[in-house]
Amino acid sequence: MSDVDLSIIIPARNNKVKNASIIEMIADETRSFNVEFIVIDLNSTDGGVLDALDMMKSSNLKGTVIQCGNDTVSTALNTGINRSKGKYITFVYPTRLYKNYINDYMKGAEEKKAEFVFAVPSSNDTGHKDLIPDGIKGTDIVVRLIRSSIYMDFTAVLFQREFLLKNNIRFYEECTLGYAEAFIYNSLLNNPVIACVDMEIERDYVNSLIKGSNSGASNNCFERLDAMIKVAENARLLYKDDTVLNEAFEYQKLPAVIVNCIDKLLDEGFNKTSIRKLLKNKGYEDYMKISGSTDDDLKKKVVEWKFMPWLYR
């Protein structure tokens, strides 16, 4: 049995000097745990991964670098899961770092024997703490995420490794946008034991890689839609009689993602006629459904797009 408490998986592609500083920062934060660092190199050419490896060796840190070529970040993260040995796993995204949260997550995981950990502050005005009672089901969290009654940062979560392996939860490898969101939803659909840590996590802009300097980013917003369609199908397969859950996907989540794609394409200069043709050809129009449970703003956008496109935006 492994003695590693936590596996920290870091996808890296031309992260320059950030790799070493990120690992050094997290190592300093997690000194009370037996931690391993798994850096998945996505064909970097700037030498940053070698710097990280040298730093881990010189600091006597447990870690490895795995070459993943030109694969997607999703593939890299799955590779990290497969190679990990920790009781718990977390993913660190160089473009979206947070300060000093891992210790609190680990404490929450151990106290609750949790399989899924995320942060929810009780001190803000939304009253989130009251909305997430102990013992809440993952499917209930999914519905509340879809309805925006709670917020979760998909890049600051912690998992029990055995939970992921037992339920064969993996990132969609063909997906380059929305893969973390889909992974979280699929995890929650397997109803893990949940720990909500009472804290407000703070972004670390100093150590984060500036978004856009990583050339592997994708602008295909419909990949997120394709991923969420798969998640919705998974929800229906697992809980065919859960009307609330399935209708949340059908009448809120999927049309909301489509509207988001439409807005992004309009911002990029695409005209409405070409967007409508694209939606029709790909069959996405079939997912633009609304009901009495659809929130008013989304309902208005869907109706305008489908029946009065000249009024849209």
Side-chain angles (χ1 to χ4, degrees):
M1 183 175 179
S2 172
D3 61 349
V4 177
D5 298 316
L6 175 64
S7 298
I8 297 174
I9 301 170
I10 307 172
R13 180 187 280 121
N14 291 334
N15 293 355
K16 302 176 184 177
V17 298
K18 295 295 186 180
N19 287 321
S21 63
I22 289 169
I23 293 171
E24 189 173 27
M25 174 190 69
I26 297 173
D28 188 58
E29 176 188 347
T30 57
R31 290 187 185 280
S32 58
F33 299 104
N34 188 349
V35 174
E36 69 169 354
F37 293 91
I38 302 176
V39 179
I40 313 294
D41 180 31
L42 292 161
N43 210 25
S44 296
T45 57
D46 62 358
V49 171
L50 291 177
D51 290 343
L53 186 59
D54 289 341
M55 190 278 294
M56 287 190 286
K57 288 180 178 179
S58 64
S59 300
N60 199 29
L61 299 176
K62 186 175 293 184
T64 186
V65 172
I66 301 171
Q67 300 295 331
C68 218
N70 284 317
D71 285 334
T72 63
V73 174
S74 302
T75 301
L77 296 172
N78 285 334
T79 299
I81 294 172
N82 293 338
R83 293 288 294 272
S84 65
K85 297 186 175 80
K87 180 178 180 182
Y88 296 100
I89 291 175
T90 193
F91 306 101
V92 171
Y93 300 85
T95 57
R96 196 174 180 90
L97 299 178
Y98 294 90
K99 298 179 181 178
N100 300 320
Y101 70 96
I102 295 177
N103 281 341
D104 290 305
Y105 275 31
M106 289 291 287
K107 182 180 178 183
E110 294 289 0
E111 287 179 352
K112 297 282 183 70
K113 299 188 185 320
E115 297 166 321
F116 182 97
V117 185
F118 68 106
V120 179
S122 61
S123 57
N124 60 25
D125 296 333
T126 60
H128 283 170
K129 187 72 172 180
D130 295 332
L131 292 173
I132 307 180
D134 286 343
I136 189 170
K137 291 183 178 180
T139 49
D140 292 332
I141 293 283
V142 168
V143 172
R144 296 181 190 206
L145 285 170
I146 292 173
R147 298 294 180 195
S148 299
S149 62
I150 63 169
Y151 171 78
M152 179 191 304
D153 194 304
F154 300 134
T155 60
V157 289
L158 183 140
F159 301 90
Q160 185 192 77
R161 176 174 171 271
E162 184 60 31
F163 165 77
L164 296 178
L165 297 179
K166 178 180 65 178
N167 293 288
N168 195 31
I169 300 168
R170 297 175 60 80
F171 290 88
Y172 293 141
E173 296 195 347
E174 71 283 2
C175 182
T176 62
L177 196 67
Y179 50 85
E181 179 184 27
F183 186 83
I184 298 300
Y185 275 89
N186 280 328
S187 298
L188 289 167
L189 288 174
N190 282 277
N191 279 327
V193 177
I194 294 170
C196 302
V197 178
D198 184 2
M199 65 181 297
E200 186 165 2
I201 54 177
E202 181 183 355
R203 286 285 300 275
D204 182 353
Y205 293 101
V206 173
N207 291 296
S208 292
L209 184 72
I210 297 174
K211 205 164 189 177
S213 62
N214 191 328
S215 60
S218 168
N219 292 318
N220 184 5
C221 60
F222 287 111
E223 288 189 11
R224 179 184 174 220
L225 175 58
D226 290 335
M228 292 314 303
I229 289 171
K230 288 184 179 181
V231 174
E233 290 171 349
N234 187 33
R236 189 170 296 280
L237 180 66
L238 292 171
Y239 306 101
K240 63 180 180 179
D241 297 324
D242 191 332
T243 303
V244 172
L245 175 67
N246 290 308
E247 289 190 353
F249 277 106
E250 185 174 9
Y251 298 117
Q252 185 67 36
K253 185 61 179 179
L254 296 182
V257 175
I258 296 175
V259 165
N260 181 260
C261 290
I262 292 169
D263 289 344
K264 283 185 176 179
L265 291 174
L266 289 173
D267 289 341
E268 291 175 8
F270 288 84
N271 64 59
K272 294 177 183 178
T273 301
S274 62
I275 297 172
R276 290 174 70 85
K277 183 177 180 180
L278 176 63
L279 293 178
K280 182 177 181 180
N281 289 342
K282 287 184 171 288
Y284 292 144
E285 283 184 341
D286 296 340
Y287 298 101
M288 292 193 76
K289 299 178 182 178
I290 57 174
S291 72
S293 63
T294 307
D295 75 51
D296 291 341
D297 288 341
L298 177 60
K299 191 181 298 182
K300 179 175 180 290
K301 283 199 161 193
V302 170
V303 170
E304 285 184 353
W305 179 260
K306 291 181 73 172
F307 304 109
M308 297 172 286
W310 59 90
L311 292 178
Y312 192 85
R313 295 181 54 167

